[in-house]
Every structure is written in structure tokens, then in C-alpha cells.
Amino acid sequence: MRALLPAPSDTTTEQVDVHAHYAEGWVEPGGVRINFVTSVDGAASSAGLSRGLQTPGDNAVFAALRDLADVILVGASTAAAENYRPSDPPERRKVIRRAYGLAEAPAIAVMSSSLRLDLSAELFTAATVAPTLVITGSSAPLSRRNDLIDLAGTTTRLQLIEAPSGSDGEVDFAATVTSLRELGYHRILCEGGPRLFGAAVGAGCVDELCLSVSPLLAGPGAGRIIGGKPWSDEPTPRLTLTGLLTEDDALFCRYRVQNAA
Ligand SMILES: NC(=O)c1ccc[n+]([C@@H]2O[C@H](COP(=O)([O-])OP(=O)(O)OC[C@H]3O[C@@H](n4cnc5c(N)ncnc54)[C@H](OP(=O)(O)O)[C@@H]3O)[C@@H](O)[C@H]2O)c1
């Protein structure tokens, strides 16, 4: 992997330190960082999964971003479609995390307003090293909320976080970020999906977008990386390119969102 920005690698063979590249300006002060992979024609998935878009370079960036996060936040659909599991990185990655002053594993946070979750999944029953957090809103169905509280009573590393819901039933993203910060999660990595990304930007909460562009065309049919309800009439956010890596014709862009608080 070579750097093109902020400082180009000296030779075509020089390997960039991916962790150092993404740690700069992030570990302190933290923030809300979004990570997506897309095809050159803007698809968010191939055959319903992001896996079809991934490259070895994207996997390296994905892992490094996780290694630099306190919490990984995803929407319920992505957690189910991509089979999210409890967080327990291998020792070599725990060593990297400790070197950056982070806990040995990131928490996994799943956002759902319906709480229509498969509570028998390991993500909810088998978290041991770092907690699994379920974030829901005031409109969550009471019976499912109670099921989750019962399960959390028997599974020590499962935790329910409740935030206000808007009139549309969606969880207030800004309130979610505040709750996560109050719990000590200052480096929030959001791995999507598109609907959650849309809500995060719509709430003005995104500081950074780490976008992998894979050198392929996914063709018609696949959705884009931003979904959900339309934003208000405010000017759409502008992005500043602060980092750019490349490997095997793929690009790994690091954008700062200009209107972030
Ligand atoms: N290319 C990539 O890098 C990438 C990354 C992630 C996902 N994906 C793909 O994207 C697809 C899933 O897309 P998606 O847009 O449906 O995913 P999503 O945003 O992960 O999930 C949507 C669900 O998350 C919950 N949610 C999202 N925002 C919410 C909010 N503000 N308040 C309350 N709940 C909220 C809701 O769950 P409830 O219905 O339970 O309330 C909603 O139905 C999959 O095919 C996945 O593979 C691609």
C-alpha cells in the first residue's frame, strides 16, 4: 500500500503504515468516523453484501480502522446481513490497540428502533472481551425491550442504551453519540449501513468518511452508500480530502466533513 496524500511515499515500493495513517488526527480528539467500501460506479454492495466489493487493501484498512476505535456502530440490517460477532481481536491486534492507548477490544453497538433482533445470535449472547451494546429509541416495542433487558440480566456484557426517538420513530443520532461519549466511547467508528450513514450525516454528526473505492463496476441494481429519508434543505456537506492511499488500483480516501461540529 502506497500513500499519495498527505505525503506521497518516496518510491513505488515503500509500504505505508496504515495504522499510523489513520491514527493521525483521530486518536486524539476522537470523533465519528464512517467507513464504507464502494465500487467505482457507487454501489454499496454486490449480491447483497459488501464482501463482493472488498479487496485485500480494503480489508487492511477495515481492520486498521477497527483497531483505532472504541466502539463499532452498525445498523441492525448490516449486523444481521454481515453476521457481526462479539468483538475479540487476536493478540497482535490487541498489542496495536494498547500501543495507541485503547482498550484491548472495541465494543460493538447495534442500532435498532424495532428491536426485531435475533437475540439467539452470538453477538448478543456471547460477548466476553468487550460489550455488545444495543441502541434503541423511546418508540421501541415494550415486549422486545423487556426481552432484551432480561437477556442483559443473564449476559453480563450485553447492554441496552436508550435514546430519544424522533416523530418518525428513528433513534436520534446526535443523542446516541452523546450517550456513547458519556460511556467513554470517544472514537466512534460507524460501519454503516447506508440508512445509518444517512441518519448520521442528516444529524450533522459525521467528522470523517473513510471510503474505499474498489476497481470494479457492480452494475445496476445495487443501492448507494447513503440511504434513508431525505435530508433537510440545508446545503449538502462538503468534504476535504485529507488522506489517500492506493494498492492494486483501489483507492482509500480519507475525507474530513467540513460542516461537522
Ligand atoms: N459497502 C459497505 O461498506 C457497506 C457497509 C455496511 C452495509 N452494507 C450493506 O448495506 C446493506 C444494508 O443496508 P441498510 O441501509 O438496510 O443497513 P443499516 O443502516 O445497517 O440498517 C438499517 C436498519 O438499522 C436500524 N437503523 C438505522 N438507522 C437507524 C436510526 N437512525 N434509528 C433507528 N434505527 C436505525 C433500523 O433497524 P430496525 O429496522 O431494527 O429498527 C434499520 O432498519 C447490506 O446489504 C450490507 O451488506 C454495505
Side-chain angles (χ1 to χ4, degrees), residues 166-188:
S167 54
D168 53 5
E170 299 259 290
V171 179
D172 182 325
F173 196 92
T176 298
V177 170
T178 302
S179 297
L180 289 172
R181 286 193 177 131
E182 283 170 1
L183 291 168
Y185 301 112
H186 296 288
R187 301 162 196 95
I188 302 168

Side-chain angles (χ1 to χ4, degrees), residues 57-235:
D58 174 60
N59 292 337
V61 168
F62 181 84
L65 295 178
R66 284 192 155 204
D67 291 341
L68 296 168
D70 296 321
V71 61
I72 296 163
L73 172 63
V74 284
S77 304
T78 296
E82 308 274 350
N83 192 24
Y84 272 60
R85 299 174 56 76
S87 169
D88 187 10
E91 182 56 28
R92 67 182 166 76
R93 290 177 61 184
K94 288 180 179 160
V95 169
I96 294 172
R97 293 182 58 84
R98 283 187 213 112
Y100 281 104
L102 274 63
E104 62 178 13
I108 306 278
V110 180
M111 188 179 281
S112 167
S113 48
S114 75
L115 289 184
R116 213 174 288 116
L117 306 168
D118 175 7
L119 293 184
S120 67
E122 283 189 19
L123 181 59
F124 306 108
T125 61
T128 53
V129 179
T132 292
L133 315 173
V134 175
I135 301 170
T136 196
S138 36
S139 64
L142 199 59
S143 62
R144 293 206 188 102
R145 176 182 172 277
N146 289 343
D147 288 347
L148 203 85
I149 289 172
D150 287 347
L151 183 61
T154 57
T155 308
T156 51
R157 308 238 61 188
L158 177 66
Q159 190 178 345
L160 178 67
I161 297 177
E162 295 179 275
S165 295
S167 54
D168 53 5
E170 299 259 290
V171 179
D172 182 325
F173 196 92
T176 298
V177 170
T178 302
S179 297
L180 289 172
R181 286 193 177 131
E182 283 170 1
L183 291 168
Y185 301 112
H186 296 288
R187 301 162 196 95
I188 302 168
L189 173 64
C190 178
E191 293 182 343
R195 194 169 139 193
L196 190 56
F197 184 17
V201 179
C205 287
V206 179
D207 298 299
E208 192 172 299
L209 169 62
C210 298
L211 182 68
S212 298
V213 183
S214 293
L216 56 88
L217 300 172
R224 295 172 51 199
I225 62 170
I226 284 202
K229 59 181 184 182
W231 296 339
S232 67
D233 292 334
E234 308 267 316

